[in-house]
């Protein structure tokens, strides 16, 4: 009699366990489906400015990084590489971070220009931490941007960058040096 009672209770527990397992599986499957939908929505419904920045970043990195986006409910940028691996900004190299920020600045300038707000871009040695290939890509993109009507003030103390812009036909202006380099009679503004 006691054995039958224990078998009955065991069967009830097993039945409840099976039902709980099916419930858990249903919830887990639904959660995974929601995650897929959320990830797809995040990628496909980003602000136009971030889609534009993505295009610039892809050009600047020669295709190594392809997408800039923000996860839903968060105020952080993520970057996808050519293998669709999503990376936090702090995981990028210093040079790649600088390219990302340049891409975002260019996208903001483009968006503002589309709204009739033309502001100059003021850039100070934004390519000095880049390898030669990426620096060339950045200078080419800046040159294209300038040819579309964007005023760019590019400050640098590197003569080779000045020469690269001059070779493209840019007007270069040499500012006076440090106070200890001034010739007698020269003054700095101020």
């Amino acid at each position: 009699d006691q054995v039958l009672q224990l078998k009955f209770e065991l069967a009830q527990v097993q039945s409840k366990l099976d039902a709980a397992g099916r419930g858990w599986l249903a919830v887990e499957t639904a959660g995974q489906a929601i995650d897929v939908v959320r990830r797809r929505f995040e990628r496909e419904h980003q602000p136009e400015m971030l889609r534009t920045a993505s295009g610039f970043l892809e050009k600047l990195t020669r295709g190594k990084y392809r997408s800039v986006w923000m996860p839903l409910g968060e105020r952080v940028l993520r970057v996808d590489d050519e293998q669709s691996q999503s990376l936090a900004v702090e995981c990028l190299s210093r040079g790649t971070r600088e390219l990302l920020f340049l891409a975002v600045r260019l996208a903001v300038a483009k968006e503002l220009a589309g709204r009739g707000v033309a502001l100059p871009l003021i850039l100070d040695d934004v390519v000095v931490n880049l390898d030669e290939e990426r620096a060339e890509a950045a200078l080419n993109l800046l040159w294209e941007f300038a040819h579309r009507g964007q005023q760019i003030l590019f400050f640098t103390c590197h003569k080779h960058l000045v020469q690269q812009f001059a070779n493209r036909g840019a007007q270069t202006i040499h500012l006076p040096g440090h106070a200890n380099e001034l010739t007698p009679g020269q003054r700095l503004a101020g």
Side-chain angles (χ1 to χ4, degrees):
D1 189 40
Q2 189 176 19
V3 172
L4 279 164
Q5 181 64 27
L6 288 174
K7 283 184 178 182
F8 177 74
E9 288 176 13
L10 181 62
Q12 284 184 320
V13 169
Q14 185 63 45
S15 176
K16 288 179 184 179
L17 252 161
D18 289 344
R22 286 189 302 276
W24 174 84
L25 184 60
V27 169
E28 180 64 22
T29 302
Q32 289 175 2
I34 289 170
D35 283 346
V36 168
V37 170
R38 180 186 51 79
R39 282 193 299 273
R40 184 173 178 197
F41 184 85
E42 284 175 336
R43 297 301 198 292
E44 294 176 0
H45 294 88
Q46 290 293 314
E48 182 64 29
M49 190 272 303
L50 287 182
R51 284 194 295 274
T52 302
S54 295
F56 290 146
L57 184 64
E58 187 169 9
K59 277 185 177 182
L60 290 167
T61 63
R62 310 268 177 158
K64 182 168 182 174
Y65 297 96
R66 298 189 174 166
S67 179
V68 180
W69 59 282
M70 288 177 51
L72 286 175
E74 296 181 34
R75 299 188 65 85
V76 297
L77 289 177
R78 303 283 298 181
V79 176
D80 291 347
D81 65 13
E82 74 263 1
Q83 293 147 348
S84 298
Q85 181 181 7
S86 182
L87 303 165
V89 173
E90 55 272 8
C91 294
L92 303 172
S93 70
R94 179 177 178 179
T96 303
R97 280 194 310 269
E98 289 182 10
L99 288 175
L100 169 62
F101 299 142
L102 176 59
V104 170
R105 282 184 268 179
L106 293 173
V108 168
K110 183 176 180 181
E111 184 173 310
L112 289 172
R115 295 179 185 182
V117 180
L119 298 173
L121 269 175
I122 301 172
L123 306 172
D124 186 8
D125 270 336
V126 294
V127 299
V128 296
N129 293 311
L130 306 178
D131 61 40
E132 190 175 317
E133 186 177 320
R134 287 183 171 187
E136 182 71 22
L139 296 178
N140 287 337
L141 183 58
L142 290 171
W143 189 248
E144 285 176 31
F145 218 70
H147 272 271
R148 285 189 242 134
Q150 176 66 51
Q151 182 183 22
I152 299 174
L153 303 173
F154 187 96
F155 292 89
T156 186
C157 61
H158 299 278
K159 290 180 184 179
H160 72 280
L161 294 175
V162 173
Q163 189 59 50
Q164 287 182 25
F165 275 113
N167 291 345
R168 287 174 169 82
Q171 178 185 2
T172 61
I173 300 171
H174 297 273
L175 300 176
H178 298 290
N180 58 359
E181 296 175 9
L182 295 176
T183 59
Q186 279 186 312
R187 289 183 36 172
L188 292 175

